[in-house]
Structure formats: structure tokens, C-alpha cells
Amino acid sequence: MNKKRIEYNPESTEIEKAKSHIIVEIIEYVPNAVVIKTIIKKSTGNISMMSFDSGEGLTEKTSPFDAFVQIIEGEAEFVIDGVSNLLNTGQGMILPAHLSHFIKPNGRFKMIQTIIKSGYE
């Protein structure tokens, strides 16, 4: 897998506030890429949208914070500490802090990721 990350709209760190958005249309697919769009970015956490073209995933990593992921289009396999979880459109789960996880591609998909950085003191 040839991974490249692209910021969808580098001029804006967040989407427009106080405006209705069609969530699945905020971010588009880019061939052979993982696209990341920041929805909200604060020192206490952030919300990001991601689109993954077919064959694209994320390599194994751990995070010091819990993350909530929700599939908004397609399906993806999340492997957490060696256990596989298949999520479809509308499904979500918490990726626990300090456990290794990665995303295996299963066709194109889009997701929202929410990370809360406070409360770990």
C-alpha cells in the first residue's frame, strides 16, 4: 500500500460553524490516498473526517487517548490488540488508549474520528 496523506482543505483548519453540512459530502475520495479533514481542533481534543480509497488503510499504532470512530460510508475492519472488528455504515466503536490498532481496507470508506484529550490526568 502506497500511503499518502492529504489535507482536504488546508486553508481552513475547521469547517464553517453555525451552518448545516451534509456529513458524507464534507470530504471526497482521492485515488490512492487517505484524506483527512479537520472538523474541530482544540487543545482538549479534535474531530476529523477521513476518506480511504480502495486498498488504503492506516498502519499499526497506539495512542495515549481513547478515540471514537464512526463509519459514515462503506465498511472497514479495525484490528485492536489482535482482535478484528468489521464496522459498516452507521456503526462505531471506541479504540482504547494504549492498545495497538490498525485499519484494514475493505473498499472505499469514510469515517469520523473523535479524540478527547482531557480527563486522563
Side-chain angles (χ1 to χ4, degrees), residues 6-16 26-28 34-40 46-51 111-113:
I6 299 172
E7 183 68 28
Y8 180 70
N9 185 357
E11 299 87 44
S12 172
T13 58
E14 297 182 356
I15 64 171
E16 187 175 346
I26 291 173
I27 195 166
E28 297 297 327
V34 175
V35 181
I36 302 169
K37 170 67 180 163
T38 302
I39 304 297
I40 298 173
N46 58 61
I47 300 172
S48 301
M49 293 195 67
M50 305 169 107
S51 71
M111 71 177 211
I112 297 174
Q113 176 177 271

Side-chain angles (χ1 to χ4, degrees):
M1 284 188 290
N2 182 12
K3 307 247 184 317
K4 58 180 173 175
R5 289 176 170 237
I6 299 172
E7 183 68 28
Y8 180 70
N9 185 357
E11 299 87 44
S12 172
T13 58
E14 297 182 356
I15 64 171
E16 187 175 346
K17 296 179 181 179
K19 178 184 174 194
S20 175
H21 298 275
I22 299 172
I23 299 301
V24 76
E25 293 178 1
I26 291 173
I27 195 166
E28 297 297 327
Y29 295 107
V30 173
N32 305 309
V34 175
V35 181
I36 302 169
K37 170 67 180 163
T38 302
I39 304 297
I40 298 173
K41 185 175 180 106
K42 305 291 180 198
S43 61
T44 54
N46 58 61
I47 300 172
S48 301
M49 293 195 67
M50 305 169 107
S51 71
F52 296 77
D53 194 26
S54 294
E56 299 299 322
L58 293 180
T59 57
E60 190 167 7
K61 68 175 201 163
T62 59
S63 172
F65 310 109
D66 288 340
F68 178 74
V69 293
Q70 179 182 6
I71 303 298
I72 58 171
E73 184 175 271
E75 64 181 32
E77 183 178 358
F78 291 79
V79 180
I80 303 168
D81 208 25
V83 177
S84 177
N85 302 273
L86 183 63
L87 298 180
N88 293 294
T89 301
Q91 293 182 306
M93 70 183 311
I94 296 173
L95 305 177
H98 309 293
L99 290 181
S100 66
H101 63 274
F102 63 94
I103 302 172
K104 290 173 81 174
N106 200 355
R108 289 177 144 193
F109 71 97
K110 295 179 183 181
M111 71 177 211
I112 297 174
Q113 176 177 271
T114 303
I115 299 174
I116 306 298
K117 296 180 181 177
S118 63
Y120 290 88
E121 297 83 32

